[in-house]
Amino acid sequence: ESLVILISGQGSNMRALLDAKLPVKRITVISNNPAAAGLEIARSRNITTHVIDHRLYSDRTTFDAALTEIIEACQPSLVALAGFMRILGDNFVNRYQKRLINIHPSLLPAFSGLNTHARALQEGVRIHGCTVHFVTPQLDHGPIIIQAAVPVLTGDTPETLGARVLQQEHLIYPQAVRWFLEGRITVAHGRVLVQSATH
Ligand code: GRF
């Protein structure tokens, strides 16, 4: 079993996955950003890292092809996007769909896209949260695996709300990856079914 984690920045979700003692033989971390702080976290844990600097590629297709080449070499059971800030093309998504997941900082389908916490505050919602979902060609709209909700509190800023959501991300992402690696996730009619634990 091999897990590939794609990051672009701080890598706190990647760290939560690395600390979760997942049932996987090998983990590889790949970043499109050579300065991603998450790369240091991975290296300090002796995790293999690769950088595919998107600025060196003329277009999305060639970037996705270079990324695919590295990922294919890992023969991944699962590819987990964790704070990965590039939009992946349909060819890439179709190649890895059913074993390509993402964590999004909102209760999808609400607030797909960027700046989710500021938008949630702007809308005055009382409940916000995060979602782990399968990645499909339609951005932030794949079958939902697990969600967590947090209250929006008086005086919240995008930062305070975001920090509360991030705490929950670090709980639900390892849970979703563990379920997947245990083979307990199936998708029927676009909806995820998680089999109960087989004792
Ligand atoms: C965070 O906003 C998180 O909600 C989203 O990506 C951003 C960075 O995450 N998933 P990470 O700390 O790099 O995992």
Side-chain angles (χ1 to χ4, degrees), residues 60-147:
R60 190 178 304 285
T61 306
T62 48
F63 170 79
D64 284 4
L67 186 60
T68 300
E69 195 178 333
I70 294 275
I71 293 176
E72 282 303 288
C74 302
Q75 296 187 304
S77 317
L78 178 63
V79 180
L81 308 182
F84 189 66
M85 300 310 279
R86 302 283 300 170
I87 293 182
L88 295 158
D90 289 2
N91 289 342
F92 182 98
V93 171
N94 290 331
R95 173 190 288 267
Y96 290 109
Q97 71 173 337
K98 302 208 186 322
R99 53 182 172 134
L100 178 60
I101 61 177
N102 180 47
I103 185 149
H104 181 78
S106 80
L107 290 175
L108 292 175
F111 307 116
S112 57
L114 297 173
N115 302 318
T116 61
H117 310 310
R119 290 160 54 205
L121 291 171
Q122 185 63 31
E123 291 295 327
V125 298
R126 292 303 189 243
I127 301 292
H128 187 40
C130 46
T131 304
V132 180
H133 62 95
F134 283 100
V135 174
T136 60
Q138 192 184 356
L139 187 67
D140 297 337
H141 274 77
I144 291 170
I145 298 169
I146 185 172
Q147 295 185 302

Side-chain angles (χ1 to χ4, degrees), residues 9-14 82-83 85 103-105 117 166 169-170:
Q10 61 182 5
S12 73
N13 277 289
M14 173 208 68
M85 300 310 279
I103 185 149
H104 181 78
H117 310 310
L166 201 56
E169 291 181 42
H170 298 161

Side-chain angles (χ1 to χ4, degrees), residues 1-86:
E1 304 279 299
S2 155
L3 170 64
V4 170
I5 305 173
L6 302 189
I7 66 169
S8 297
Q10 61 182 5
S12 73
N13 277 289
M14 173 208 68
R15 184 183 54 226
L17 292 174
L18 296 183
D19 292 348
K21 303 278 175 280
L22 295 164
V24 67
K25 285 195 186 63
R26 196 160 58 127
I27 299 179
T28 307
V29 169
I30 305 174
S31 179
N32 63 295
N33 171 12
L39 288 168
E40 264 323 295
I41 297 173
R43 289 169 186 151
S44 70
R45 286 168 166 77
N46 296 322
I47 297 288
T48 306
T49 62
H50 297 282
V51 172
I52 313 274
D53 186 340
H54 63 276
R55 296 169 303 182
L56 307 181
Y57 295 85
S58 52
D59 59 40
R60 190 178 304 285
T61 306
T62 48
F63 170 79
D64 284 4
L67 186 60
T68 300
E69 195 178 333
I70 294 275
I71 293 176
E72 282 303 288
C74 302
Q75 296 187 304
S77 317
L78 178 63
V79 180
L81 308 182
F84 189 66
M85 300 310 279
R86 302 283 300 170

